[in-house]
Amino acid sequence: MYDLIVVGGGAAGMMAAGQAATRGKKVLLLEKNEQVGKKLLITGKGRCNLTNDCDIEEIINNFPDNGKFLYSSLYTFSNWQLRDFFAKLGVKTKVERGNRVFPTSDSAHDIVSALKKFMEENGVEIRLNSAVETITVKNKQVTGVQTKDKKIYFAANILLAVGGKAYPTTGSSGDGYDIAKELGHRVIPSKPSLVPLEVKEDWAPKLQGLNLRNVTATLVIDGAEKKEEFGEMLFTHFGVSGPIILTLSRDVVNYLGRHSIKLRINLKPALSLEQLDNRLQRDFAKYSRKQFKNSLGDLLPSKLIPVIVQLSSIPATKFVNQITRKEREELVDLLTNLKLTITGTQGFKRAIVTVGGIDTEEINPSTLESKLVQGLYFAGEVIDVDAYTGGFNLQGAFSMGYVVGNNV
Ligand SMILES: Cc1cc2nc3c(=O)[nH]c(=O)nc-3n(C[C@H](O)[C@H](O)[C@H](O)COP(=O)(O)OP(=O)(O)OC[C@H]3O[C@@H](n4cnc5c(N)ncnc54)[C@H](O)[C@@H]3O)c2cc1C
């Protein structure tokens, strides 16, 4: 008989298991994969952006729907405490652009190793290749779990920390939703979020690999501007990705299928239309005897030039000194208003997080215990909470895991 069984060895589960064990609890962690922390290893492109060095209110604001639910967890175990926690386990951290926090070693392996050490040194029993199928309940109180290979374990408390549906190759394939539903919990339908977007325009794949910095992308739904993001984006073989696109994707998924969804890219947001026109006039004066296709090298990355030339109303071989004012003004419009039509997303397969999950209304935010079943706890992405990029999702998972570890 265990004091706590943790189902899922991700960020939330490992933190909860180790923390409960520091308090003398007998803890068993069951992980479906052959290793714990498989998703953690690929976070932040293998560098693990574990949290964000901003104040708690800002972290909460980065959870667009249910940030308030995390208020108690984040104040109980803050970003500062998380960094301190890892420092004590020998993992120093550093702050980068956008207050993103990474291990100084730039290695997500160090984060996973530290969490394993935290669990092992405090006596957590870890069983790998153990996929939990059901949580057993008697008189509205948990009694144990049963695995897919029909093993039964008993416990007074059970934490479901199996993640959402995003990036299922790491183990998070939505198992938690069925398990929670069987126990009477409401599950908000899930959608992929922070996910690359597919576009219609056939010129976009030609730009594959092109990373644009300091641009703005505006999301336009049925002709109305919804949201604008400034920063970095990337062209891929299917469409667009990169930080500002991933952020906008959270809104995109709400409109897919029923609405016209466009992105408008401003390639030169630092310049007013007049300043950009002046800039073009200067470049055109400098290259007045060249053909149009050879006149944009000072303004644009070389990969983008043939596409802009193709999309503009100016013939590629027209001599620059013959370009009319109207043509130049149309070019200004194109450079500040490059349109992309969104046709879909790359789905759960490539999503960073899941929108939706176990309804927060049925979970006590101070303890993360179910309001329906005694001794049943939830933490991490399996709950209907999700944030933008920047280390907020992992901070949320770690804080929730800590709270459960402290409450069982
Ligand atoms: C490519 C990528 C990069 C990311 N980068 C960042 C980043 O840099 N910063 C950030 O803040 N967030 C990042 N995220 C998001 C972040 O990784 C997740 O939000 C976070 O890992 C969620 O933690 P969790 O513990 O809830 O779930 P997970 O980390 O998904 O862990 C759940 C665990 O449960 C196990 N499991 C599932 N079903 C069962 C079952 N039936 N029985 C037993 N075990 C089971 C899974 O195998 C898995 O190990 C990234 C996500 C992806 C996909």
Side-chain angles (χ1 to χ4, degrees):
M1 177 85 173
Y2 294 93
D3 295 316
L4 172 67
I5 292 177
V6 174
V7 185
M14 288 196 277
M15 179 61 84
Q19 182 55 25
T22 61
R23 296 172 48 242
K25 303 289 175 186
K26 191 171 179 222
V27 183
L28 171 67
L29 182 137
L30 297 171
E31 165 56 50
K32 144 166 136 175
N33 286 329
E34 65 300 341
Q35 63 182 111
V36 290
K38 210 167 173 179
K39 184 176 281 179
L40 265 172
L41 289 175
I42 58 162
T43 55
K45 297 191 175 131
R47 298 202 301 133
C48 186
N49 174 199
L50 65 151
T51 185
N52 196 284
D53 184 32
C54 61
D55 60 35
I56 301 287
E57 294 302 322
E58 204 177 323
I59 298 182
I60 290 170
N61 290 339
N62 271 281
F63 284 81
D65 282 345
N66 283 327
K68 290 214 163 62
F69 174 78
L70 291 178
Y71 194 89
S72 178
S73 297
L74 290 167
Y75 273 101
T76 303
F77 191 67
S78 68
N79 43 357
W80 279 103
Q81 283 162 286
L82 181 67
R83 292 181 69 187
D84 196 42
F85 165 84
F86 279 112
K88 284 187 180 130
L89 288 166
V91 183
K92 288 199 183 117
T93 50
K94 59 176 174 179
V95 181
E96 293 192 0
R97 199 159 41 91
N99 295 326
R100 289 162 197 250
V101 176
F102 294 88
T104 309
S105 62
D106 284 326
S107 168
H109 274 277
D110 289 354
I111 295 293
V112 175
S113 300
L115 287 165
K116 273 161 76 178
K117 182 172 149 193
F118 179 51
M119 291 194 293
E120 281 158 12
E121 284 184 352
N122 288 293
V124 174
E125 190 182 327
I126 301 168
R127 290 195 184 223
L128 304 172
N129 302 306
S130 300
V132 168
E133 209 164 44
T134 44
I135 292 178
T136 49
V137 172
K138 201 172 170 190
N139 300 329
K140 296 199 169 173
Q141 157 78 48
V142 295
T143 55
V145 300
Q146 183 173 333
T147 60
K148 279 210 170 112
D149 53 4
K150 306 299 171 213
K151 289 203 179 91
I152 294 173
Y153 301 94
F154 297 100
N157 299 288
I158 292 161
L159 165 62
L160 192 62
V162 292
K165 266 185 167 178
Y167 239 87
T169 47
T170 62
S172 50
S173 49
D175 298 6
Y177 305 146
D178 292 338
I179 295 174
K181 270 188 206 160
E182 258 185 41
L183 300 174
H185 271 273
R186 207 168 32 235
V187 175
I188 309 296
S190 53
K191 292 177 207 156
S193 183
L194 306 186
V195 59
L197 300 176
E198 295 174 349
V199 303
K200 190 173 97 182
E201 285 69 19
D202 56 8
W203 51 262
K206 292 183 195 158
L207 298 177
Q208 178 179 354
L210 177 67
N211 199 33
L212 295 174
R213 287 183 177 197
N214 303 325
V215 296
T216 57
T218 307
L219 179 63
V220 182
I221 307 292
D222 297 330
E225 288 184 11
K226 282 281 170 207
K227 198 169 184 182
E228 183 178 286
E229 289 291 325
F230 170 79
E232 206 169 320
M233 67 173 283
L234 173 74
F235 282 90
T236 65
H237 64 285
F238 52 78
V240 283
S241 187
I244 61 174
I245 301 299
L246 295 182
T247 298
L248 291 174
S249 74
R250 193 181 188 281
D251 292 81
V252 166
V253 294
N254 292 327
Y255 296 100
L256 272 176
R258 292 165 288 128
H259 299 268
S260 140
I261 310 174
K262 303 237 184 233
L263 281 182
R264 282 206 316 247
I265 312 296
N266 184 346
L267 296 166
K268 297 288 166 192
L271 302 178
S272 67
L273 296 184
E274 196 189 344
Q275 283 169 328
L276 181 56
D277 190 44
N278 288 339
R279 168 71 202 268
L280 273 176
Q281 287 186 54
R282 282 201 303 276
D283 285 5
F284 284 176
K286 183 172 166 189
Y287 298 116
S288 63
R289 276 186 255 171
K290 294 209 169 189
Q291 293 179 332
F292 172 52
K293 63 179 182 184
N294 297 322
S295 68
L296 298 173
D298 294 354
L299 190 68
L300 298 174
S302 53
K303 202 162 190 170
L304 192 56
I305 295 171
V307 169
I308 292 295
V309 168
Q310 178 201 330
L311 295 175
S312 80
S313 56
I314 308 169
T317 52
K318 186 166 186 173
F319 283 99
V320 168
N321 56 17
Q322 287 166 16
I323 293 174
T324 66
R325 181 189 178 137
K326 186 165 175 284
E327 283 172 331
R328 202 183 63 232
E329 282 170 357
E330 281 170 5
L331 181 60
V332 168
D333 183 55
L334 178 66
L335 294 170
T336 53
N337 209 351
L338 191 60
K339 291 187 189 66
L340 287 161
T341 312
I342 306 301
T343 53
T345 75
Q346 287 266 287
F348 283 113
K349 213 171 151 190
R350 289 279 166 264
I352 285 180
V353 286
T354 312
V355 173
I358 299 167
D359 193 345
T360 53
E361 290 290 314
E362 296 176 344
I363 305 169
N364 178 340
S366 310
T367 60
L368 302 178
E369 188 175 11
S370 159
K371 290 181 183 172
L372 312 182
V373 180
Q374 219 185 323
L376 175 64
Y377 291 80
F378 302 107
E381 211 179 301
V382 72
I383 301 179
D384 177 26
V385 283
D386 66 281
Y388 295 120
T389 58
F392 307 107
N393 284 295
L394 280 175
Q395 176 66 52
F398 285 130
S399 293
M400 286 186 262
Y402 181 91
V403 164
V404 175
N406 248 8
N407 274 294
V408 290

